[in-house]
Amino acid sequence: MTALERATGGFVAVARVGDVQPGTVRVVEVDGRSLCLGLTEDGEWGAIDNICTHDGGTLGEGELDDSAVECPRHGGRFDLFTGRVLALPPVRPVTAYETEVDGDEVLVRIGSA
Amino acid sequence: MTTATTAISLDAAAIADISKQRDEPDWLRDLRAAWWERASSTPPPTGQEEEWRRTDLAALPRDGRLLADAPRLDISGVAESGVILTDLRTAVAEHPELVRRYLGQGEPQASHAHFWALAQAAWTGGLFCYVPKGAHVDGTLVARTALPASDVTYLPVSLVVAEEDSSVSLLQQVTSPDGAAGWFGGIVEIIAGEGAEVRFANLQQLGDETWNIGAQRVVVGRDAHVTTLDAEVGSRITKVGLDAEMAGKGGTSKLLGLLAAGDDQHIDINAHQVLAADYTTSDLLYLSALYDRARAAFYGVTLVEQGTRQTSSYQECRNLLLSPNAGAEPIPVLEIKANDILRCGHGATAGAIDPIQLFYAQTRGLDPDAAERMIVRGFFEQVVSQIHDETIRAEVLTALAGRIGFADEDAA
Amino acid sequence: MALPNPALTQIPDSYKYGWSDPEATHLNIARKGLSAEIVEEISRFKGEPEWMTKLRLKAYRHFEARPMPNWGADLSAIDFQDIYYYIAPTDKAVQSWDDVPDYIRRTYDKLGIPEAEKKYLAGVGGQYDSEVVYHNIREDLEKQGVIFLGTDEALKKHPDIFLEHFGTVIPANDNKLAALNTAVWSGGSFIYVPPGVHVELPLQAYFRINTENMGQFERTLIIADEGSSVHYVEGCTAPTYSTASLHSAVVEIIVKKGARVRYTTIQNWSHNVYNLVTKRAVAHEDAVMEWVDGNLGSRVTMKYPSIYLVGERAHGEVLSIAFAGDEQHQDAGGKVIHAAPHTTSLITSKSISKGSGRTSYRGLVKVYPGCEKSKSTVRCDALILDEEARSDTYPYMEIDEEDVTIGHEATVSKVGSEQLFYLMSRGLSEAEAAAMIVNGFIEPIVKELPMEYAVEMNRLIQLQMEGAVG
């Protein structure tokens, strides 16, 4: 992806490919936003908002079970790709972001094209 | 008027200095030191405590400038002899024995102990109202304070003592300019002797960035009757602790509150009603109208002590939400350790104006804004109708008009 | 006594109950204490799929990491290492009738419970062999496609449904006791009702047979598919003796679109038990969920049945009765979370404290933004009967939507002397009069109970008021 393509597509680099172990999530900060970036065991990347909609827990400090992100505070779960709630106590979904891998960088689509 | 300020790094030396600068008697210097000791050993709330979970103290401007010279206390209404109403500093100079008997003697409400102790140690102004035995004060005593700047720290103590069988109505008002963040930590202590009758109103009209961390403690003697009205109109963040101690048989207290908040205001009230003697009554009614992004939290505890007989208590908190982003958290708690109760209960509501009411008002020719104002004013009537003092009622309604508007009757 | 199963009255006198054979002869997990090894052994012993073993171990980690709640009742006497986490059925039975506390034996006498049933309730000797009765009911259900099994069995027979729903309402890390349950759970009920099926007969824990009826760490999962309805009943009003002092169950309920579930519990554990339960239901569009919760026994109960209203027009109700006698603390209530527009809820709590007992109502009504036109009413009434008794009410509310109507009212009172006087002038003794008043006080909730329970409840209250038992 060229720099222009990135910019017009709203993509921002948030990490290098080797930064995240498969089957885990971590916190990344970009553009004043805090995101939870995850890599599944199957090698797929996903990114969602970092703050749990239940009680403000930090999702990026939680666990990744297949493609379910588990909040460390009360165990609530969100789908890593869609942000959909998979287990209570949260009831509102989190925002999910498109991801792309470009070379050895992981990109997340923050702005709108 | 100059506003001589001292930089507060609140410490024992600075406190001792206040006493020295003012030539205060030894007992007062010692009293301040003892309360300072208390403040140091009582850590400020961490936010884990039940009463402090809903207000974040992190941004409280604790490094502000303490007003060394209190703003002038603007007083009116004193006519009777023997009745005292002056600023606290003058009271210490002119009535030391009386002040010494009552100042700083009471135990604060646990949740606000740190701030109570700070004010008792570091007050530089305040008021002293004293009504001797059997004296009945006609009319309404009024005491107004206008803070000169918004970014200052001021921790005044208001001490009200009504001796046996006396009666008095007192309105205290504080204002400050809009603008930068300051910290107002006024505390009020009302001591009602046997058979006394006290009506007290606190009208808070601080500037839009001011922090208001206040506390009020009411001690009701045997067969005494105290009514307090807390009108919270201003400030950015208000956190008030109200403590009513019903230690005398047959005493009654009524704690009324009116909140009209908008913009990004955050108002958080903690009440503590302790019924510790037979035949006592304590009722609480807090009403709030919340606009824009305002938020009101209320956590009140009614505690009926074991072994008491025939106590009466009702705790009520009602919230009118007038915009989609307003929010309320009313939590009235009961801890009842006696069974010989005359009545005991609580109620809490939160919600929008009943659309039917709104519709009806509009069919009477009012536009939506006017209809809303009328209904909010009607909602507040539950408290307003319990304010029997004309002066207090008029002042409070005028102060609230900024948010809720005037109803035609009140404007007259 | 009428056990909560009318069909039982048809059992001939000649039935006998026998011992069920233990499924394993020596269990080295039948020792006290908790550790990752024990958790793993429990799972292996049950022959569970790998994913359940992993989940149990993860839950155990969470249990270790989480602190105990610093609110609610006093839990300082619980020693987690002094508990058996898996007991074979025969190990757990009390050895003899003489070990059963006096007050329990006397209650059974007063309630007129037949000999055999007394022993069952007291956990003495063998189990009821209700296979006969259960079998007929089970056939009917199977015809309708209803699945009603013990949770252990359901995991093996219906792993797909299990995997889809287990832990989605109460995840392992929700709170310390839920983590414990997820690590060591055993027994409980699993119910699946297919779309459109209405189960007429209230399903009872009792039907499930045998081994784990009074399990300490039961795990129940109920799924009512679209448009279905079911009523589940557990517990019984007569005092139930348990040698195990910690009971920590988890109940998850999913009420899908247009479905209806009622879950009734009457708990009367012996006074050595700490009963700490997490019960939660999620109600979708047009669904109705009702918790009927009666807390009579245990030394300490902490239980707040919850309903998450996540679909439009969902409705939730919690009806709660709590009775605390000497040394008891019932810390109960209900929680409703409004997460969709046009949702409604009702919480009604009636509590009675007597002697040195303490009842606490603890509840939450939370309304998320965007739930317009929602309505919630909470009504808590408490009766304090004696000078040393205590009652508390802690009603939390978080209202973040303007266009709603939320209300909470509570009263605390004592038995009025005029009322008493009036009834006594009609020839009742003071105890009888007080019992009548107390029964009247709880009537709005008692009338929602299956009849046998209602009758039992009234009789039990009467006995308590007379001070004849416990």
Side-chain angles (χ1 to χ4, degrees), chain B residues 1-8 17-18 21-24 32 65-73 87 89 122-126 145-149 152-156:
Chain B
M1 177 190 85
T2 50
T3 354
T5 57
T6 319
I8 285 189
D17 207 52
I18 296 174
Q21 297 284 334
R22 296 166 170 217
D23 254 333
E24 286 180 344
R32 285 186 188 271
R65 301 168 300 149
L66 175 68
L67 274 183
D69 277 331
R72 194 176 70 94
L73 190 68
D87 67 276
R89 183 175 177 173
W123 65 265
T124 51
T145 304
L147 294 182
V152 293
T153 298
Y154 187 48
L155 314 173

Side-chain angles (χ1 to χ4, degrees), chain B residues 50 54 295 306 309-310 314 318 321-324 327-341 344-352, chain C residues 70 358 369 380 384-415:
Chain B
E50 190 52 57
R54 295 158 206 95
R295 193 167 191 88
Q306 194 171 36
R309 284 172 213 303
Q310 296 288 294
Y314 200 78
R318 304 202 183 279
L321 301 173
L322 298 157
S323 100
E329 288 182 62
I331 306 169
V333 171
L334 300 175
E335 287 182 357
I336 313 303
K337 301 184 189 174
N339 84 311
D340 188 358
I341 302 163
C344 175
H346 67 205
T349 60
Chain C
N70 61 352
R358 176 177 175 188
C380 305
I384 309 186
L385 299 176
D386 296 313
E387 266 186 41
E388 272 188 71
R390 176 173 171 169
S391 168
D392 312 309
T393 313
Y394 304 98
Y396 291 86
M397 283 192 197
E398 289 171 36
I399 315 303
D400 286 290
E401 166 55 50
E402 154 213 26
D403 191 5
V404 293
T405 310
I406 311 295
H408 167 100
E409 299 288 336
T411 61
V412 179
S413 52
K414 62 173 184 168
V415 171

